[in-house]
Amino acid sequence: MRRRPAVLPLAPGSTLGILGGGQLGRMLAQAAGRLGLDVAVLDPEPDGPAARVSAHAITAAYDDPKALQALADLAGVVTFEFENVPAAAVAQLADIGVEVAPGPLALKVSQDRFEEKSFLNAHGAPTVAFAPASSPDEAVAAIDEVGAPALMKTRREGYDGKGQRWVEHAPAAARAFAELGGGPVILEAAAGFRRELSIIAARARDGATAVYPLAENHHEGGVLRRSLAPAQAASAVVDQAERIAARVLAGLDYVGVIGIELFEMEDGRLLVNEIAPRVHNTGHWTLDGCEVDQFEQHIRAVAGWPLGPTHAIARVEMVNLLGDEMQGWLRLAHEPETRLHLYGKREAKPGRKMGHVNRVKPL
């Protein structure tokens, strides 16, 4: 049974739906609350971080028809906190008459690394050379095409360094293919980059866009460790990043906040590493470094509100707290320049993101 479309912009007192109940969902819910909106969270895990700060919590699989109907009955618009939401769930919400933002194209592109890089190249956003493979022989041929060494990644799933292997020469490609499960993969040429940057951008329902200052990012073991923002960057680099963001947002007919990871090459060119159709870890610095942070910006966009200002009001070093590092919360709380953000996860596991700190300095 289809229902009437939501009246936009969502007025204070309306309910916004979120697929996913982790830390990103929690910070989205907190931002929505500041704007007077209620939140309904659908998440398979009971008592998750987002559920405990939301007005409504539905515990069920993402593609559970009854749960999706319950979410639709509550929410005027639905968004998501991560890009691996089942496409079938979004399709069912659309059949019911609920709008999901960002839209299905953003999910389709971001859920498959080959589709993603093909889309980026087609829309004037350059990447490293790449090739797909669906068998050991194709993996070997792909190495010959893109050159060695190359990074082999599963086409779907995988995050924080999971689901990927470096392949140093063609004969090793078949073994790496098997180690990654024998499913479809993508081979990406090595990028001799100078540093990793990211840009957080937003697009409203009326097509208006806004971009945040660049962040410089440092990873350890495939996991983001810290971001420095605003990054020191030449105007030509900033211009490139903003052009890339504009092309991606327009090409996806996007609504909401998106994270775009970039490689800055030695000659100053920017290549896109990947996109994330959601609020992004490298944008956490905006919570204390900008007038309107990425979470409020996303809520504004999907709810049909005008976008807020994105200029920096402070310089920030964002550091992820992994595993037991969050046990140092009291020491961190004593640091006058440190803003502590803990996610409310019940169990600390090695490498698990339990929170982050923003160390704030004047511009």
Side-chain angles (χ1 to χ4, degrees):
M1 177 179 178
R2 295 187 65 85
R3 66 172 197 176
R4 292 181 181 177
V7 176
L8 296 172
L10 291 183
S14 302
T15 299
L16 177 80
I18 299 177
L19 295 169
Q23 69 261 24
L24 299 181
R26 182 184 181 96
M27 289 182 276
L28 285 169
Q30 290 169 327
R34 293 197 304 270
L35 300 180
L37 299 171
D38 287 338
V39 166
V41 171
L42 171 58
D43 187 56
E45 298 297 326
D47 194 37
R52 298 200 303 278
V53 297
S54 299
H56 310 277
I58 303 168
T59 303
Y62 293 121
D63 54 359
D64 183 311
K66 292 183 178 179
L68 290 170
Q69 183 63 60
L71 184 65
D73 291 341
L74 289 167
V77 175
V78 173
T79 189
F80 47 86
E81 70 150 7
F82 74 120
E83 57 268 39
N84 289 320
V85 172
V90 175
Q92 182 172 337
L93 287 169
D95 288 344
I96 296 170
V98 179
E99 184 172 355
V100 179
L105 179 58
L107 274 181
K108 177 179 181 292
V109 166
S110 64
Q111 286 181 349
D112 185 309
R113 290 184 172 90
F114 179 71
E115 294 281 347
E116 179 183 70
K117 282 194 163 47
S118 299
F119 166 86
L120 290 167
N121 283 195
H123 289 80
T127 68
V128 297
F130 62 96
S134 298
S135 70
D137 288 343
E138 288 182 6
V140 173
I143 286 287
D144 291 334
E145 181 178 343
V146 304
L151 187 59
M152 182 184 292
K153 299 178 179 178
T154 55
R155 283 181 58 165
R156 291 180 174 271
E157 305 292 336
Y159 62 94
D160 286 347
K162 299 177 177 66
Q164 59 187 48
R165 295 283 190 283
W166 276 104
V167 181
E168 298 297 331
H169 46 76
R175 182 175 65 254
F177 182 84
E179 289 173 350
L180 290 176
V185 299
I186 183 174
L187 278 294
E188 300 177 0
F193 56 88
R194 174 174 169 255
R195 60 176 176 168
E196 296 184 47
L197 299 170
S198 61
I199 188 166
I200 305 298
R203 187 170 183 266
R205 293 184 176 275
D206 62 3
T209 60
V211 295
Y212 288 90
L214 291 173
E216 177 180 325
N217 306 307
H218 299 265
H219 292 75
E220 294 177 6
V223 179
L224 179 69
R225 191 50 158 164
R226 66 189 185 113
S227 294
L228 305 172
Q232 298 294 319
S235 59
V237 171
V238 174
D239 290 345
Q240 281 185 76
E242 293 184 352
R243 285 197 302 271
I244 287 169
R247 290 167 181 165
V248 171
L249 290 171
L252 293 173
D253 192 21
Y254 199 82
V255 174
V257 163
I258 193 169
I260 305 176
E261 297 181 10
L262 304 162
F263 295 137
E264 183 183 1
M265 310 303 284
E266 291 293 344
D267 61 4
R269 291 180 302 124
L270 292 180
L271 301 180
V272 181
N273 179 29
E274 63 182 30
I275 62 175
R278 53 172 170 79
V279 288
H280 197 252
N281 197 173
T282 66
H284 289 358
W285 72 274
T286 64
L287 282 163
D288 300 292
C290 296
E291 287 190 36
V292 172
D293 63 68
Q294 65 165 345
F295 299 97
E296 179 179 330
Q297 195 77 282
H298 186 79
I299 299 299
R300 283 171 171 257
V302 301
W305 290 34
L307 299 181
T310 55
H311 62 272
I313 58 174
R315 190 169 302 282
V316 178
E317 178 190 32
M318 189 285 299
V319 179
N320 277 326
L321 299 176
L322 306 179
D324 288 338
E325 291 173 352
M326 59 86 61
Q327 299 299 336
W329 61 269
L330 186 56
R331 171 183 56 80
L332 293 167
H334 275 94
E335 298 177 1
E337 77 282 5
T338 297
R339 308 293 177 264
L340 183 60
H341 300 267
L342 297 177
Y343 303 150
K345 295 181 179 180
R346 298 300 193 190
E347 183 181 0
K349 299 177 182 179
R352 191 182 195 192
K353 294 172 183 172
M354 302 299 294
H356 71 271
V357 294
N358 284 337
R359 293 192 169 95
V360 181
K361 298 179 181 179
L363 282 173

